[in-house]
Amino acid sequence: MEDIKKAFAEYLKSNVNKPYDWDILGLGDFPPGFTSTKKYCEHIITNETKMNETDLLKIPHIHNFFGYTEGEGSFKDWISTSNKTKAIENFFKKENYIPVNKTLEFIAVLFDAPLNSFASFQASLQQKKMEETAAAEVAVPIIPQELKVKKSISYLVMALAFVMVSALAYLTYSNLALKKVNEENTRIIGGLVFNPVVVDEVDLVTAVSNIHNDPTNENGIMATSDSDEEPSYFTNHIYNTDFILPKEDWGFDIDPKGEDINSDYGKPFSNELRPLYKDVIQDKVTIANNQMLIRLNIRNNTDTKWVIDNIYLRKIEQYTPEVNKVYKNSWSVREGELSYGFEMNKYASIYPITTFIELEPGQAKYFSMNITGDHSCNGAIFKYKIVFSGNGSKGDSFTIESDKEYYLGFYNKR
């Protein structure tokens, strides 16, 4: 991983771009120094209404990088005391200085690098490896132009047999290597444009990891769509440790099957759950708080191969019930699973991932999506969907949304 990080850093030094208005603003040399980077960020935030679409997308990244939220005074005053851009100056001016991933990704976004996240760079490397391996697989073994046979016919037969065995071994090795690359590639759910994160561990572990990839739901019914001519999306499980519930009723529509582990989606654990604190549930619908782990499957119901090339979380609504109108609690079951995920903030509504996942006819792929949020989400409940899109070999495409809308609250976020 450190080698990939170093490669990403080298890539950025050669592929960042000087902003079109850098010279107009009189910011001096580029690559930038400590002060000029701060001035450029301040320019974008304080002139938001004049920014183009590309620069507008930089605003949530700037807020997150400097740890700024609205209501904490002016951004100009906030950034004036920050020394975070010193790491950016050191990156460009010191030969072997490599800052943390968050800073590298901020540099990539702020200065318009074509691959603007660690995960998208990693996915690009994986794609390149896969293409090289695929090319090697179909390469014709090179046989020497002059095969000198000066002994006997038996010697010739032995030589040809050796060449054939070597070629077979080479092709077998190539197939195994390609399979390994493809398996690794499908595990990479990378490339978040908005503050990408890799989640090291969540609070639901051993028991969840032991659930096998069964393509049926809790009632033994295969997950299908209304049409047999497009992939289908099925929510298998929802897990969480912390939860919130209303003191009266939620002011929005919720899934009658439930919204978190305390529902049909939480089987086999839901029947064993008990609130860690006072039991005040009384048939009210609980919503995950601070973190939600979604397990789902996408199935190819067609007779042709499809490729999933984009996954994104789309925020639909945001609610802000007062903290004294909801209870906060935790379940006494604590398990967990390693996962890649989305980290939401209150500024962005779309969180995209680029990937490359092949779906053969009739094949299902299984995903674990860990959804969290940064400190700007505190005090809110978000409603969102997860969307997959892809294409086929004939250039046709598909987009499929999650089979339900998910809710996730953020109260007293740690």
Side-chain angles (χ1 to χ4, degrees):
M1 187 64 70
E2 285 300 315
D3 289 342
I4 298 177
K5 179 180 178 181
K6 183 177 180 181
F8 183 44
E10 291 300 319
Y11 165 82
L12 289 182
K13 286 187 177 181
S14 302
N15 288 276
V16 292
N17 295 288
K18 182 166 68 173
Y20 67 93
D21 52 354
W22 188 268
D23 293 333
I24 298 174
L25 296 171
L27 296 179
D29 294 337
F30 190 90
F34 171 79
T35 303
S36 55
T37 302
K38 292 202 330 185
K39 287 183 177 179
Y40 178 59
C41 292
E42 180 184 332
H43 166 71
I44 292 177
I45 299 301
T46 56
N47 293 277
E48 179 177 350
T49 58
K50 301 176 183 179
M51 294 295 108
N52 58 34
E53 183 176 350
T54 299
D55 289 338
L56 284 174
L57 292 175
K58 297 177 182 179
I59 291 176
H61 296 276
I62 296 173
H63 283 165
N64 186 64
F65 180 75
F66 288 100
Y68 172 78
T69 56
E70 295 175 0
E72 295 181 288
S74 72
F75 181 77
K76 182 176 181 180
D77 292 339
W78 182 276
I79 198 175
S80 66
T81 60
S82 175
N83 63 354
K84 288 181 175 292
T85 56
K86 189 63 180 177
I88 297 176
E89 179 181 276
N90 290 338
F91 171 67
F92 286 114
K93 294 186 177 180
K94 294 185 178 181
E95 185 173 349
N96 295 316
Y97 180 85
I98 301 178
V100 297
N101 285 355
K102 179 179 178 180
T103 301
L104 287 175
E105 289 173 328
F106 180 66
I107 292 170
V109 171
L110 191 65
F111 299 121
D112 304 308
L115 298 174
N116 60 5
S117 74
F118 181 78
S120 62
F121 178 75
Q122 190 176 21
S124 176
L125 292 181
Q126 290 293 335
Q127 177 67 16
K128 184 177 179 180
K129 286 183 181 179
M130 187 174 66
E131 291 172 353
E132 291 174 351
T133 306
E137 182 187 15
V138 299
V140 178
I142 299 174
I143 300 175
Q145 295 180 356
E146 296 181 3
L147 184 60
K148 298 180 180 180
V149 182
K150 295 182 179 180
K151 292 187 178 181
S152 63
I153 296 299
S154 60
Y155 180 86
L156 174 61
V157 172
M158 291 176 61
L160 289 175
F162 176 78
V163 171
M164 292 178 65
V165 171
S166 299
L168 180 60
Y170 173 79
L171 291 175
T172 301
Y173 172 81
S174 296
N175 281 330
L176 291 173
L178 179 59
K179 180 180 179 182
K180 183 177 180 180
V181 170
N182 282 336
E183 289 175 346
E184 178 63 21
N185 199 44
T186 59
R187 285 196 294 269
I188 296 177
I189 303 176
L192 273 174
V193 174
F194 295 96
N195 192 25
V197 293
V198 175
V199 180
D200 292 324
E201 189 172 359
V202 297
D203 283 335
L204 276 165
V205 175
T206 308
V208 177
S209 299
N210 290 334
I211 295 179
H212 57 81
N213 287 332
D214 186 350
T216 59
N217 62 17
E218 299 296 345
N219 298 315
I221 301 173
M222 180 70 70
T224 59
S225 64
D226 294 334
S227 167
D228 60 359
E229 297 181 352
E230 63 180 19
S232 60
Y233 181 116
F234 189 81
T235 302
N236 296 311
H237 301 95
I238 297 176
Y239 299 119
N240 56 286
T241 300
D242 297 333
F243 68 95
I244 54 175
L245 71 157
K247 290 192 174 181
E248 296 180 359
D249 293 308
W250 295 119
F252 42 80
D253 295 332
I254 47 86
D255 189 339
K257 292 176 61 178
E259 293 293 351
D260 71 343
I261 191 173
N262 184 40
S263 69
D264 287 345
Y265 296 109
K267 292 181 178 178
F269 310 114
S270 53
N271 294 332
E272 306 299 327
L273 293 176
R274 297 291 182 273
L276 192 61
Y277 310 117
K278 181 181 178 181
D279 186 352
V280 292
I281 295 178
Q282 300 172 345
D283 298 323
K284 294 175 182 176
V285 176
T286 52
I287 289 177
N289 191 29
N290 293 328
Q291 169 266 326
M292 172 189 286
L293 178 66
I294 301 170
R295 303 195 73 188
L296 62 100
N297 73 280
I298 298 293
R299 181 178 176 84
N300 182 0
N301 301 308
T302 73
D303 57 2
T304 59
K305 182 169 72 173
W306 291 82
V307 173
I308 299 172
D309 54 16
N310 287 285
I311 309 170
Y312 62 91
L313 183 153
R314 186 178 72 233
K315 192 190 302 176
I316 301 172
E317 296 287 348
Q318 178 174 329
Y319 309 96
T320 53
E322 294 178 17
V323 68
N324 60 2
K325 292 185 178 180
V326 300
Y327 291 105
K328 298 180 293 295
N329 211 325
S330 298
W331 302 116
S332 58
V333 173
R334 292 177 180 269
E335 306 295 337
E337 175 172 299
L338 297 180
S339 174
Y340 290 93
F342 299 92
E343 183 182 62
M344 291 193 283
N345 59 60
K346 77 171 186 177
Y347 309 104
S349 59
I350 298 291
Y351 303 81
I353 288 174
T354 58
T355 188
F356 186 91
I357 302 172
E358 294 184 342
L359 278 177
E360 299 292 341
Q363 184 182 20
K365 291 284 188 180
Y366 296 83
F367 300 85
S368 293
M369 302 287 188
N370 191 61
I371 318 299
T372 61
D374 67 14
H375 64 283
S376 71
C377 301
N378 201 24
I381 297 172
F382 294 123
K383 179 169 78 172
Y384 63 93
K385 293 193 110 177
I386 293 175
V387 182
F388 287 73
S389 68
N391 54 78
S393 58
K394 297 179 181 179
D396 41 356
S397 61
F398 74 89
T399 299
I400 181 168
E401 296 186 346
S402 52
D403 56 354
K404 72 181 283 6
E405 295 168 337
Y406 305 102
Y407 290 86
L408 179 56
F410 297 93
Y411 284 84
N412 285 4
K413 175 166 177 57
R414 296 184 291 273

